[in-house]
């Protein structure tokens, strides 16, 4: 029970296949109270039904495309729950055509959209969340190896993940004064709704399972356990890092 007594906010729940859901289950199993945010593009009733599986959990709508919406949700959470102890940022988006055409054809709009929703949103979340994060809190985001290496069809999302990882280092420096940590988990490929938007995603999963030292793909719950560790006091000395939870895939050469 490494998260006993902690209130954890999980941003980006879409459905039961979301990494956010695996992370929520892992955090709950470790004793945390869970608060969710979801995009207003998702069905509220379906999500209410899902979160009923986690006792005492609540959820609030929050789209991250405008600072005012992020500011508003943190004011509401403060009013209804007081301070919190951790945040998982599990949000990304790119235009569908940018995940199948050559990267060179990414439009100015597509480039800024992917970076805005997938990377900048974390900066704004940290800015507004800072007021309600207890000392010793931990923020975690999710990234992918497409930030480090060229992967077929990952394209502009790889650039956005690189921006996210670099933002984490700068944010770690800013937040450290308030005893707040921030890290990313670089997860192996998991079949979620977002992942299905990447052309040939299944062959990526097959290739990873063949090459990874552990010869399998990761589950959302396994990634959630790494997030739980980073949210806990067990990782009190780790900040500004990207930790791979990918069954070792990223260490392999050709
Ligand atoms: P998902 O589709 O379940 O989650 C993505 C979430 O982003 C959804 O809840 C969606 O509503 C939210 N979102 C998109 N645009 C938004 C906006 N404007 N405002 C608020 N929320 C918005 O898919 P997932 O795979 O669980 O993705 C979660 C995170 O994990 C993403 O950052 C993704 O890049 C990352 N990740 C996924 C994989 C994978 O293989 N699935 C691997 C590594 C990292």
């Amino acid at each position: 029970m490494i998260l006993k007594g902690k209130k954890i906010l999980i941003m980006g729940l879409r459905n039961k296949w979301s990494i956010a859901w695996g992370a929520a289950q892992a955090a709950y199993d470790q004793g945390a109270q869970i608060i969710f945010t979801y995009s207003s593009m998702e069905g509220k009733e379906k999500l209410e039904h899902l979160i009923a599986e986690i006792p005492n959990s609540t959820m609030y709508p929050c789209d991250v495309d405008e600072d005012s919406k992020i500011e508003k949700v943190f004011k509401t959470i403060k009013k209804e729950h007081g301070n919190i102890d951790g945040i998982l940022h599990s949000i990304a988006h790119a235009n569908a055509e940018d995940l199948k055409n050559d990267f060179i054809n990414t439009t100015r709009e597509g480039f800024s959209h992917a970076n805005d929703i997938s990377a900048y949103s974390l900066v704004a979340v940290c800015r507004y969340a800072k007021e309600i994060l207890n000392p010793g809190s931990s923020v975690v985001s999710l990234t992918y190896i497409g930030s480090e290496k060229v992967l077929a069809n990952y394209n502009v999302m790889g650039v956005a993940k690189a921006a996210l990882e670099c933002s984490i280092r700068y944010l770690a420096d800013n937040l450290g004064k308030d005893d707040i940590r921030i890290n990313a988990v670089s997860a192996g490929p998991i079949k979620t709704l977002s992942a299905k938007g990447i052309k040939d995603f299944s062959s990526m999963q097959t290739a990873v399972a063949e090459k990874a030292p552990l010869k399998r793909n990761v589950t959302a719950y396994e990634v959630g356990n790494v997030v739980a560790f980073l949210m806990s006091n067990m990782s009190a000395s780790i900040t500004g890092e990207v930790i791979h939870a990918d069954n070792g895939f990223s260490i392999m050469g050709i």
Side-chain angles (χ1 to χ4, degrees):
M1 298 293 265
I2 58 175
L3 297 179
K4 199 160 190 276
K6 289 193 189 278
K7 272 182 244 171
I8 304 293
L9 173 66
I10 298 201
M11 306 185 76
L13 180 64
R14 185 181 226 170
N15 54 36
K16 66 177 178 183
W17 295 286
S18 294
I19 299 178
W21 182 243
Q25 289 177 309
Y28 176 74
D29 289 349
Q30 292 300 330
Q33 184 198 329
I34 312 293
I35 305 164
F36 291 99
T37 68
Y38 64 98
S39 162
S40 64
M41 292 172 281
E42 314 299 341
K44 184 180 175 210
E45 275 164 36
K46 211 176 59 189
L47 286 174
E48 273 171 346
H49 191 67
L50 180 63
I51 73 158
E53 289 178 31
I54 296 190
N56 298 321
S57 60
T58 41
M59 61 175 209
Y60 302 93
C62 179
D63 291 336
V64 298
D65 57 337
E66 284 175 27
D67 284 7
S68 58
K69 298 176 186 170
I70 300 173
E71 184 176 22
K72 186 173 163 214
V73 84
F74 281 103
K75 281 193 174 146
T76 308
I77 291 170
K78 184 180 174 64
K79 204 164 117 212
E80 299 190 9
H81 300 274
N83 281 7
I84 60 173
D85 305 286
I87 300 174
L88 173 66
H89 171 274
S90 185
I91 292 173
H93 196 263
N95 294 334
E97 63 271 22
D98 291 330
L99 299 174
K100 54 173 184 265
N101 298 332
D102 282 352
F103 174 69
I104 202 168
N105 292 322
T106 310
T107 60
R108 190 174 292 266
E109 187 282 322
F111 190 96
S112 15
H113 172 75
N115 279 275
D116 181 21
I117 302 301
S118 317
Y120 177 75
S121 64
L122 179 68
V123 181
V125 161
C126 288
R127 189 163 64 246
Y128 295 112
K130 203 160 103 55
E131 305 310 314
I132 70 161
L133 282 167
N134 283 321
S137 289
S138 166
V139 180
V140 181
S141 188
L142 292 165
T143 187
Y144 190 52
I145 195 174
S147 65
E148 303 165 47
K149 308 266 187 226
V150 174
L151 296 184
N153 304 316
Y154 203 62
N155 299 353
V156 71
M157 191 53 85
V159 176
K161 291 302 190 191
L164 179 84
E165 292 173 20
C166 190
S167 302
I168 282 172
R169 291 187 280 275
Y170 281 90
L171 288 166
D173 183 41
N174 289 175
L175 295 169
K177 313 176 195 39
D178 296 304
D179 194 16
I180 300 168
R181 299 180 293 113
I182 180 164
N183 295 285
V185 177
S186 186
I190 298 172
K191 215 168 263 168
T192 62
L193 212 52
S194 287
K196 282 187 186 162
I198 301 161
K199 200 174 133 213
D200 298 330
F201 180 79
S202 294
S203 16
M204 204 189 280
Q205 272 202 311
T206 310
V208 166
E210 271 169 21
K211 196 169 174 187
L214 293 174
K215 302 291 170 220
R216 56 176 187 257
N217 280 292
V218 289
T219 67
Y221 188 78
E222 285 172 336
V223 172
N225 275 331
V226 180
V227 173
F229 161 72
L230 286 172
M231 294 281 183
S232 79
N233 301 341
M234 309 274 291
S235 58
S237 61
I238 303 176
T239 195
E241 288 287 350
V242 176
I243 295 187
H244 292 88
D246 62 354
N247 291 330
F249 177 75
S250 54
I251 65 161
M252 300 302 287
I254 44 168

